Amino acid sequence: RLDAQHGADARHEGAVIGLAFSPDGGTFATIGEDDRLLVWAAHDGSARGALRPFSSRVSSMALSGDGATLAVGAGDGTLALHGLDGALRRRVRGHQGAVTSAAFVASAQVVTAGTDRSVRTCRLDGEASTLLLQAQGAVQGVSLAPSGKSFA
């Protein structure tokens, strides 16, 4: 769960490695080298809370289009789906290496890239991770077209 008590004076110990805004711009989340995820109020920069620990080193993050779900990729190949309250909704295993990037498709599906040279997808409703692309080298990022029908 999101720890509001430790969020009051929250900050990352080390570099921030990921940032995502909610669609309405009112909330944003950050992940850091300290393996913490912090949720912030955009209007005044105050921390709403902190989330940790994760199954292994945090390596990527995305915020769904409806602003209700955070996807957090980890070094052990898992993708954890959390509500903004910090509650774990689902953990998906698919990659054989670190999840390097994540992007939501219409708030119902997540596309991930990994050091295992793959791009995978999973639905939030429980469908298993599915291979979309096997590349020749590690895939460091994934970005979706606004239509959600193609990725790069």
Side-chain angles (χ1 to χ4, degrees):
R1 292 242 173 244
L2 198 63
D3 184 350
Q5 180 180 12
H6 290 100
D9 60 335
R11 64 177 179 224
H12 288 289
E13 296 172 16
V16 172
I17 60 174
L19 179 140
F21 275 91
S22 64
D24 67 3
T27 301
F28 67 96
T30 58
I31 55 172
E33 288 179 331
D34 57 2
D35 293 327
R36 291 191 338 155
L37 183 146
L38 301 176
V39 178
W40 308 85
H43 72 280
D44 64 2
S46 64
R48 292 185 176 170
L51 182 62
R52 81 190 252 194
F54 294 97
S55 59
S56 80
R57 186 157 210 56
V58 173
S59 53
S60 61
M61 178 201 45
L63 189 56
S64 65
D66 64 5
T69 305
L70 287 161
V72 181
D76 65 358
T78 60
L79 180 73
L81 301 171
H82 293 270
L84 279 186
D85 63 355
L88 179 64
R89 294 182 177 169
R90 181 169 177 232
R91 190 176 307 274
V92 180
R93 177 114 179 122
H95 289 280
Q96 300 303 309
V99 177
T100 56
S101 183
F104 277 89
V105 180
S107 299
Q109 191 172 359
V110 182
V111 176
T112 58
T115 59
D116 62 354
R117 305 178 323 215
S118 71
V119 176
R120 304 186 72 85
T121 185
C122 72
R123 294 188 53 78
L124 301 187
D125 62 9
E127 182 181 302
S129 177
T130 304
L131 181 67
L132 292 177
L133 172 75
Q134 190 67 51
Q136 302 228 349
V139 183
Q140 297 299 322
V142 65
S143 182
L144 297 170
S147 68
K149 294 182 181 180
S150 53
F151 66 91

